[in-house]
């Protein structure tokens, strides 16, 4: 009997890898430690409320189509992605509101009301972001992991446009004058858990994905994506075992041969794909002696991206001033990121992101109520902040901020639960609770990301947010495709 390919972890990247492999005719077994697949994309249900407790902003629709295309299917037969309009509602610290909409004239009129000169600057910023996407897409996102020589092969005029020397904030500052617009354009750094004051301006490509291409809402809620991937995987014959925790990847003669589960069962495999955080894989799953000391040391030294503090709130009544996606900006963005990335503590006055899926999927809350997912950027787990001790006080701080925006949250609270970086680590294996893998705060982050093919253990591959092309639901979907492609190439040798 042929041995299956084992995928450790049923996160979005693991499911995508499994689909690509099964579509190529391979036997695949997914081992997921939790009762349900999805990983960071997870559902929490309590007291009549349903919360999408992980990702909420879905961009890059075409990336989500790739597993379906690999299987000769259509995404639309599994998942209905509706355009979100307006995409995001912003409230600035001075009370100004701005709705970012796909309707350009309406958006530009709002920008002109803040600062007339910024209309031109904003449009130039967007076309620059689109150019970044054209130039860097093939190198950094859609192909195999980038090498320095891939960048050097780009035409010189394109290399000069890549904006390698400025930070994201410097680029936003050069484009627009109004501090509120600068804050808005800088915000895309948080989509990879980075600071706009450190992350390279090339990451303004993220603004292109959202502002030029749009945000999508899966009918039924975000978890519909995990359900659709799971359904497709099962249809293709993938075996998915939940509550199956891997404790070790078994390596013999330099080659991954299978895994051992918590109960001691050893399973043989033709190859292994780890959808678990690469650092966690090296630290906890790979025997030290089976790895190369230099590779292991590099993996364990990874500086993680930011994490998040989430409040799930069941709220009585409706809140028309909030939309599906709403941002309540802080008054001092630089201080906020200094707290997170310099001092390793959550900001005293955090910018808050609120997602209310019951506005689109009424079944997510009891009649007359709303389900609020409130996210504050937070540092990865570290010595400067003790979430066990401080979470309740920080929750209180966040509620106070919500009430400062006139939302009357405390009086309307029907349900409350928080998720700290510790829980994110424990539920998904994320190293230090990072949401997006390795930090993107350095200029060469994309070149340093762990490769999808383990350099020191044959037949071991990585799929997910901590490997190429990076974190976020669309990117990890692509990552599964890259890992599967490499594995299949190696099999052909
Ligand atoms: C609060 C929050 C907000 C986010 N917001 C967004 C957003 O708006 N938009 C966006 O695109 N992205 C967002 N993200 C990021 C996005 O969710 C992730 O990048 C993506 O879901 C990660 O997928 P992954 O394939 O890397 O696997 P993960 O989701 O990390 O899953 C790994 C899987 O491996 C399993 N596992 C771990 N160890 C073992 C083991 N030993 N044995 C068996 N199984 C194991 C875990 O249980 C898990 O299911 C957010 C994440 C969080 C947490």
């Amino acid at each position: 009997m042929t041995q299956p390919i084992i995928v450790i972890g049923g996160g979005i990247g693991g499911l995508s890898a499994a689909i690509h492999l099964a579509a190529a005719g391979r036997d695949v077994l997914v081992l997921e430690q939790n009762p349900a697949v999805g990983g960071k994309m997870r559902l929490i249900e309590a007291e009549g409320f349903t919360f999408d407790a992980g990702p909420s902003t879905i961009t890059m629709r075409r990336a989500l189509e790739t597993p379906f295309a690999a299987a000769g299917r259509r995404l639309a037969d599994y998942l209905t992605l509706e355009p979100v309009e307006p995409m995001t509602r912003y409230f600035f610290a001075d009370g100004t509101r701005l709705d970012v909409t796909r309707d350009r004239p309406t958006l530009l009129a709002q920008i002109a009301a803040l600062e007339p000169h910024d209309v031109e600057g904003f449009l130039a910023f967007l076309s620059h972001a689109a150019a970044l996407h054209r130039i860097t897409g093939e190198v950094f996102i859609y192909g195999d992991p980038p090498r320095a020589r891939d960048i050097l092969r780009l035409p010189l005029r394109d290399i000069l446009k890549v904006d390698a020397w400025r930070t994201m904030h410097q680029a936003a500052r050069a484009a627009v004058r109004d501090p509120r617009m600068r804050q808005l354009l800088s915000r895309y750094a948080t989509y990879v858990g980075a600071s706009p004051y450190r992350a390279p301006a090339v990451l303004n490509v993220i603004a292109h994905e959202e502002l030029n291409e749009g945000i999508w809402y899966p009918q039924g809620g975000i978890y519909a994506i995990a359900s659709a991937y799971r359904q497709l995987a099962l249809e293709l014959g993938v075996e998915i075992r939940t509550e199956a925790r891997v404790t070790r990847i078994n390596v013999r003669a330099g080659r991954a041969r299978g895994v051992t589960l918590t109960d001691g069962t050893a399973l043989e495999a033709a190859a292994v794909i780890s959808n678990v955080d690469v650092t966690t894989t090296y630290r906890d799953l790979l025997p030290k002696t089976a790895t190369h000391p230099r590779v292991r040391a590099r993996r364990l030294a990874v500086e993680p991206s930011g994490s998040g503090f989430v409040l799930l709130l069941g709220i009585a009544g409706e809140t028309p001033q909030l939309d599906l996606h709403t941002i309540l900006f802080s008054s001092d963005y630089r201080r906020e990121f200094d707290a997170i990335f310099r001092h390793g503590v959550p900001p005293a006055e955090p910018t808050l992101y609120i997602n209310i899926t019951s506005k689109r999927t009424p079944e997510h809350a009891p009649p007359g109520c709303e389900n609020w997912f409130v996210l504050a950027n937070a540092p990865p787990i570290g010595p400067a902040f003790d979430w066990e001790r401080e979470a309740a006080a920080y929750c209180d701080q966040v509620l106070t901020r919500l009430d400062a925006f006139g939302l009357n949250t405390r009086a309307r609270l029907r349900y409350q639960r928080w998720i700290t970086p510790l829980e994110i680590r424990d539920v998904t294996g994320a190293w230090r609770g990072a949401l997006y893998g390795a930090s993107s705060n350095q200029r060469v982050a994309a070149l340093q990301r762990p490769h999808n093919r383990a350099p020191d253990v044959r037949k071991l591959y990585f799929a997910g947010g901590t490997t190429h092309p990076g974190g976020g639901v669309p990117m990890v979907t692509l990552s599964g495709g890259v890992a599967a492609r490499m594995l299949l190439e190696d099999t052909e040798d």
Side-chain angles (χ1 to χ4, degrees), residues 13 21 28 50 54 58 62 89 118 121 143 196 254 293 306 333 338 381 397-398 413 428-429 477 486 490:
L21 291 167
V28 187
T50 300
I58 300 301
R62 65 198 172 284
R89 173 163 294 167
D118 282 350
Y333 219 30
D338 270 357
I381 298 163
Q397 233 167 299
V398 172
L413 210 52
T428 69
T477 299
M486 287 182 174
D490 292 351

Side-chain angles (χ1 to χ4, degrees), residues 8-14 31-34 38-41 53-57 244-246 275-276 285 310 373 375 424 427-428 435-436 464-465 471-474 476:
I8 312 171
I12 294 299
L31 299 168
E32 166 55 49
Q33 65 178 0
N34 292 326
K40 294 186 181 78
M41 184 182 288
S56 51
T57 302
R245 181 174 165 76
V246 170
N275 175 222
V276 185
L285 300 183
V310 177
F373 163 98
L375 174 68
I424 293 168
V427 170
T428 69
L435 302 192
Y436 298 96
V473 174
V476 304

Side-chain angles (χ1 to χ4, degrees), residues 229-299:
Y229 284 19
R230 177 178 169 277
Q231 186 190 333
L232 175 59
L234 293 175
E235 283 175 13
L236 295 172
V238 173
E239 186 187 345
I240 300 177
R241 279 191 219 164
T242 51
E243 300 188 271
R245 181 174 165 76
V246 170
T247 53
R248 197 175 56 198
I249 297 172
N250 298 319
V251 181
R252 285 194 303 278
R255 178 182 158 172
R257 306 277 175 173
V259 301
T260 300
L261 304 180
T262 335
D263 64 3
T265 311
L267 300 171
E268 297 283 313
V272 174
I273 294 189
S274 178
N275 175 222
V276 185
D277 187 303
V278 177
T279 303
T280 306
T281 302
Y282 272 84
R283 215 179 67 124
D284 299 342
L285 300 183
L286 279 168
K288 194 172 168 184
T289 49
T291 59
H292 190 289
R294 212 179 40 237
V295 177
R296 187 168 191 275
R298 222 182 296 141
R299 297 295 175 258

Side-chain angles (χ1 to χ4, degrees), residues 54-55 127 208 315 469 476-477:
S127 52
H208 163 76
I315 297 287
V476 304
T477 299

Side-chain angles (χ1 to χ4, degrees), residues 277 279-280 283 299-304 380 425 429-434:
D277 187 303
T279 303
T280 306
R283 215 179 67 124
R299 297 295 175 258
L300 299 193
V302 160
E303 184 52 36
R425 176 196 64 191
W431 169 239
R432 293 176 60 192

